Amino acid sequence: MARKKRYLTATMADGYVKTIGPTAAPFTHYWRIVAYLQNGKTEVFWGHAVSAKEAAGKRALTEQAARRYGWQRFDFEVVALTEH
């Protein structure tokens, strides 16, 4: 039997709301990276994961990316998704 399609919503600390769906994937968490570049601009990377552990594991990769690409700094956030 096919899984039911659902909409998932992530609300970040700064009030940003991201809606994902319709999806049947078992996502539970949303992650977002805001990279502050040398030229004063920002880049945003985001994704979803099937566990908090998987989402938190992106932090180590983000630290490597910051060194590789010379970011001044970055913000990394993980929040739980809610189903609608």
Side-chain angles (χ1 to χ4, degrees):
M1 176 190 257
R3 293 182 69 161
K4 178 183 167 193
K5 301 255 184 195
R6 58 198 180 125
Y7 285 90
L8 304 170
T9 302
T11 303
M12 307 307 281
D14 63 0
Y16 176 79
V17 176
K18 174 71 174 176
T19 301
I20 302 163
T23 183
F27 299 130
T28 61
H29 287 77
Y30 173 84
W31 55 267
R32 179 178 70 173
I33 301 163
V34 179
Y36 298 88
L37 310 179
Q38 295 291 346
N39 61 6
K41 294 183 179 182
T42 59
E43 285 191 31
V44 178
F45 306 92
W46 62 271
H48 21 70
V50 296
S51 70
K53 183 178 180 181
E54 179 187 348
K58 305 289 183 192
R59 184 170 186 82
L61 296 173
T62 302
E63 290 169 357
Q64 292 175 2
R67 287 190 298 275
R68 179 179 299 135
Y69 298 112
W71 299 345
Q72 289 183 335
R73 67 184 177 89
F74 66 89
D75 296 331
F76 180 81
E77 298 175 81
V78 175
V79 296
L81 291 165
T82 57
E83 185 174 343
H84 293 278

